[in-house]
Amino acid sequence: KIVEFAPRMSRFKASPSQIASARVRDLQAEGRDIIKLTAGEPDFPAPDNAKRAVIELMDRNEIQYTPVNGTLAMRQAVQAKFKRDNGLVYALDQIAVGSGSKQVLFNALMATVSSGDEAIIPGPYWASYPDMVKLAGGTPVFVMAGQNEKFKMRPEALEAAITAQTKWLMFCSPGNPTGAAYSWDELRALADVLLRHPHVHILTDDVYEHLIFDGHKFATLAQVEPQLFDRTVTCNSVSKAYSMTGFRCGYAGGPKEIIAKMSNMQSQSTAGAGAVGQAAAVGALNGPQDLLAERAANLQRRRDILFEKLNGAEGLNCDLPDGAMYIFCACAGVIGKMAPDGRVIETDTDFTMYLLDSVGVAVVQGEAYGLSPYFRASFVAPEADLIRGGDLVREACAALS
Ligand code: PLP
């Protein structure tokens, strides 16, 4: 044994999507042509304003350490963004900036969660939430919603999950992996439950805010119910909205006391977010915003292509997602069937492996997000790949007996 690992490392396992990515890489290394419907990031270029901001930063040579809670320009840009897009008014000391929303979410949990604390996670969920809660020493409490509920948590289900130990509701709309977006009225109903339980704090992850389709209007909990403002941390980032994942810049607005502790947490791990990412984020947040709707329309077209293909496959069944960039497709109809090589498809993991091995299409099994038998297919891929990938999935399904 090289070293005795810390017990906290056994609280979570390598993510199934990482295992799937490794399998894709192996097949590619063997020379196989793989169509990847696994992307978790948009494929647009960074906005021109963001690029220019980086060049200007370089010219000014402002590449030193940044304040732990973010540069003043960044916090001002975030302040303006929350007001403009969400009607939320935060003071500058109510804003935190980190290396992606992932770090901001992590800081919030690490700063507040003790052993015995519970965090409610509506599922299907982004696989990082439970692991972050566990790393912080808390217990994830899942509230699952099926396809018949459009993958959205009902107010009664939230009410039933709340205990005296509930510290957080972790909330994400539009969500990963389902793309389900809650309407104002649906948020209103959840807010009514939360008003009855003042000890519950709300961590909303709004990263898919601008990836929203069919005229759906995005709303966030602190906006729908201003009485929740004082116990909500609203997280977001430039990653998905502006297709700037690699800049690693996320942010949050929330109660001053929580934001201060999140900064303390960050000060001993990574300190201030990178100067380049923040400058680019300021450029994007303060720049023209009309590209957001154009990009959403582009993604919506690609969604429709993949949707039509998957829904036509024997044994598969899906609904159109309201937002994000994924279709969460039911595959109950292929479970129990036999592949041409004699293998029986027993789980959604078996099915995704079958798709990969037989027709070279990569998707992620629903198990990774807490709900089976489903799989997540991303429509961030060139249209030609969506068409060909969709046709190959149909062929693979038709070959089952
Ligand atoms: N939240 C959700 C729901 C996500 O799917 C992701 C990325 O996949 C993130 C947060 C992290 O985004 P970032 O750290 O790039 O802001």
Short mmCIF file of all heavy atoms in Angstrom, two decimals, residues 164-187:
data_model
loop_
_atom_site.label_atom_id
_atom_site.label_comp_id
_atom_site.label_asym_id
_atom_site.label_seq_id
_atom_site.Cartn_x
_atom_site.Cartn_y
_atom_site.Cartn_z
N ALA A 164 -36.08 17.49 11.04
CA ALA A 164 -35.41 18.50 11.88
C ALA A 164 -33.95 18.64 11.48
O ALA A 164 -33.31 19.65 11.77
CB ALA A 164 -35.53 18.10 13.35
N GLN A 165 -33.40 17.60 10.81
CA GLN A 165 -31.97 17.63 10.43
C GLN A 165 -31.74 18.27 9.05
O GLN A 165 -30.59 18.43 8.63
CB GLN A 165 -31.41 16.19 10.38
CG GLN A 165 -31.11 15.57 11.73
CD GLN A 165 -32.38 15.24 12.50
OE1 GLN A 165 -33.30 14.63 11.96
NE2 GLN A 165 -32.47 15.70 13.74
N THR A 166 -32.80 18.61 8.34
CA THR A 166 -32.62 19.15 6.99
C THR A 166 -31.92 20.50 7.05
O THR A 166 -32.40 21.44 7.67
CB THR A 166 -33.98 19.32 6.26
OG1 THR A 166 -34.69 18.10 6.33
CG2 THR A 166 -33.76 19.72 4.81
N LYS A 167 -30.78 20.58 6.40
CA LYS A 167 -30.04 21.84 6.38
C LYS A 167 -30.26 22.56 5.07
O LYS A 167 -30.44 23.76 5.02
CB LYS A 167 -28.54 21.53 6.53
CG LYS A 167 -27.68 22.75 6.76
CD LYS A 167 -27.26 22.78 8.20
CE LYS A 167 -26.57 24.00 8.67
NZ LYS A 167 -25.78 23.70 9.86
N TRP A 168 -30.22 21.78 3.99
CA TRP A 168 -30.31 22.37 2.65
C TRP A 168 -31.32 21.63 1.78
O TRP A 168 -31.45 20.42 1.89
CB TRP A 168 -28.96 22.28 1.92
CG TRP A 168 -27.88 23.15 2.46
CD1 TRP A 168 -26.83 22.74 3.24
CD2 TRP A 168 -27.70 24.55 2.23
NE1 TRP A 168 -26.02 23.81 3.51
CE2 TRP A 168 -26.53 24.94 2.90
CE3 TRP A 168 -28.42 25.52 1.52
CZ2 TRP A 168 -26.05 26.25 2.90
CZ3 TRP A 168 -27.96 26.83 1.52
CH2 TRP A 168 -26.79 27.17 2.19
N LEU A 169 -31.93 22.39 0.91
CA LEU A 169 -32.53 21.82 -0.29
C LEU A 169 -31.59 22.21 -1.42
O LEU A 169 -31.32 23.41 -1.62
CB LEU A 169 -33.92 22.41 -0.54
CG LEU A 169 -34.46 22.19 -1.97
CD1 LEU A 169 -34.67 20.71 -2.25
CD2 LEU A 169 -35.76 22.96 -2.18
N MET A 170 -31.06 21.21 -2.14
CA MET A 170 -30.22 21.52 -3.31
C MET A 170 -31.13 21.44 -4.53
O MET A 170 -31.74 20.42 -4.78
CB MET A 170 -29.07 20.52 -3.42
CG MET A 170 -28.17 20.58 -2.21
SD MET A 170 -26.65 19.63 -2.41
CE MET A 170 -25.74 20.63 -3.58
N PHE A 171 -31.20 22.52 -5.25
CA PHE A 171 -32.23 22.63 -6.27
C PHE A 171 -31.61 23.06 -7.60
O PHE A 171 -30.75 23.94 -7.63
CB PHE A 171 -33.27 23.65 -5.81
CG PHE A 171 -34.50 23.64 -6.65
CD1 PHE A 171 -35.44 22.64 -6.50
CD2 PHE A 171 -34.71 24.62 -7.61
CE1 PHE A 171 -36.59 22.60 -7.29
CE2 PHE A 171 -35.83 24.59 -8.40
CZ PHE A 171 -36.78 23.60 -8.24
N CYS A 172 -32.08 22.45 -8.69
CA CYS A 172 -31.49 22.77 -10.00
C CYS A 172 -32.57 22.72 -11.08
O CYS A 172 -33.19 21.68 -11.29
CB CYS A 172 -30.39 21.76 -10.30
SG CYS A 172 -29.50 22.09 -11.83
N SER A 173 -32.79 23.86 -11.72
CA SER A 173 -33.79 23.94 -12.79
C SER A 173 -33.35 24.98 -13.80
O SER A 173 -33.06 26.11 -13.39
CB SER A 173 -35.15 24.33 -12.18
OG SER A 173 -36.05 24.78 -13.18
N PRO A 174 -33.30 24.68 -15.07
CA PRO A 174 -33.41 23.36 -15.71
C PRO A 174 -32.34 22.42 -15.15
O PRO A 174 -31.25 22.86 -14.81
CB PRO A 174 -33.16 23.66 -17.19
CG PRO A 174 -33.42 25.11 -17.38
CD PRO A 174 -33.07 25.75 -16.08
N GLY A 175 -32.69 21.16 -15.07
CA GLY A 175 -31.83 20.22 -14.36
C GLY A 175 -30.96 19.36 -15.28
O GLY A 175 -31.24 19.18 -16.45
N ASN A 176 -29.93 18.83 -14.69
CA ASN A 176 -29.10 17.81 -15.29
C ASN A 176 -29.39 16.55 -14.49
O ASN A 176 -29.26 16.60 -13.27
CB ASN A 176 -27.62 18.22 -15.15
CG ASN A 176 -26.64 17.19 -15.64
OD1 ASN A 176 -27.03 16.19 -16.19
ND2 ASN A 176 -25.37 17.45 -15.42
N PRO A 177 -29.82 15.46 -15.07
CA PRO A 177 -29.77 15.05 -16.47
C PRO A 177 -31.09 15.20 -17.24
O PRO A 177 -31.13 14.79 -18.40
CB PRO A 177 -29.45 13.56 -16.36
CG PRO A 177 -30.28 13.13 -15.17
CD PRO A 177 -30.21 14.30 -14.21
N THR A 178 -32.14 15.74 -16.64
CA THR A 178 -33.46 15.62 -17.30
C THR A 178 -33.84 16.83 -18.13
O THR A 178 -34.74 16.74 -18.96
CB THR A 178 -34.57 15.43 -16.25
OG1 THR A 178 -34.65 16.64 -15.46
CG2 THR A 178 -34.29 14.25 -15.35
N GLY A 179 -33.22 17.99 -17.90
CA GLY A 179 -33.62 19.20 -18.60
C GLY A 179 -34.94 19.76 -18.10
O GLY A 179 -35.47 20.72 -18.66
N ALA A 180 -35.51 19.16 -17.05
CA ALA A 180 -36.80 19.63 -16.54
C ALA A 180 -36.66 21.03 -15.94
O ALA A 180 -35.75 21.28 -15.15
CB ALA A 180 -37.31 18.66 -15.47
N ALA A 181 -37.55 21.93 -16.35
CA ALA A 181 -37.53 23.29 -15.82
C ALA A 181 -38.85 23.55 -15.08
O ALA A 181 -39.92 23.26 -15.61
CB ALA A 181 -37.34 24.31 -16.93
N TYR A 182 -38.75 24.06 -13.87
CA TYR A 182 -39.94 24.35 -13.08
C TYR A 182 -40.51 25.71 -13.51
O TYR A 182 -39.76 26.67 -13.69
CB TYR A 182 -39.58 24.41 -11.59
CG TYR A 182 -39.24 23.07 -10.97
CD1 TYR A 182 -38.09 22.38 -11.35
CD2 TYR A 182 -40.05 22.52 -9.97
CE1 TYR A 182 -37.78 21.16 -10.77
CE2 TYR A 182 -39.74 21.29 -9.39
CZ TYR A 182 -38.60 20.62 -9.79
OH TYR A 182 -38.29 19.42 -9.21
N SER A 183 -41.82 25.76 -13.63
CA SER A 183 -42.48 27.03 -13.95
C SER A 183 -42.55 27.88 -12.69
O SER A 183 -42.32 27.40 -11.58
CB SER A 183 -43.90 26.76 -14.46
OG SER A 183 -44.69 26.29 -13.37
N TRP A 184 -42.90 29.15 -12.87
CA TRP A 184 -43.09 30.05 -11.74
C TRP A 184 -44.07 29.43 -10.72
O TRP A 184 -43.81 29.40 -9.52
CB TRP A 184 -43.61 31.41 -12.24
CG TRP A 184 -43.73 32.44 -11.17
CD1 TRP A 184 -44.73 32.53 -10.24
CD2 TRP A 184 -42.82 33.51 -10.89
NE1 TRP A 184 -44.49 33.59 -9.41
CE2 TRP A 184 -43.33 34.22 -9.78
CE3 TRP A 184 -41.62 33.94 -11.47
CZ2 TRP A 184 -42.69 35.33 -9.24
CZ3 TRP A 184 -40.98 35.06 -10.92
CH2 TRP A 184 -41.52 35.74 -9.83
N ASP A 185 -45.20 28.91 -11.22
CA ASP A 185 -46.22 28.35 -10.32
C ASP A 185 -45.70 27.13 -9.57
O ASP A 185 -46.03 26.92 -8.40
CB ASP A 185 -47.48 27.98 -11.11
CG ASP A 185 -48.22 29.22 -11.58
OD1 ASP A 185 -47.92 30.33 -11.08
OD2 ASP A 185 -49.08 29.10 -12.48
N GLU A 186 -44.91 26.32 -10.26
CA GLU A 186 -44.36 25.13 -9.59
C GLU A 186 -43.37 25.55 -8.50
O GLU A 186 -43.32 24.95 -7.42
CB GLU A 186 -43.69 24.21 -10.61
CG GLU A 186 -44.71 23.48 -11.48
CD GLU A 186 -44.12 22.85 -12.74
OE1 GLU A 186 -43.04 23.31 -13.20
OE2 GLU A 186 -44.74 21.93 -13.27
N LEU A 187 -42.58 26.58 -8.78
CA LEU A 187 -41.64 27.08 -7.77
C LEU A 187 -42.41 27.68 -6.60
O LEU A 187 -42.06 27.52 -5.43
CB LEU A 187 -40.70 28.13 -8.38
CG LEU A 187 -39.70 27.60 -9.41
CD1 LEU A 187 -38.92 28.76 -10.03
CD2 LEU A 187 -38.74 26.60 -8.78
#
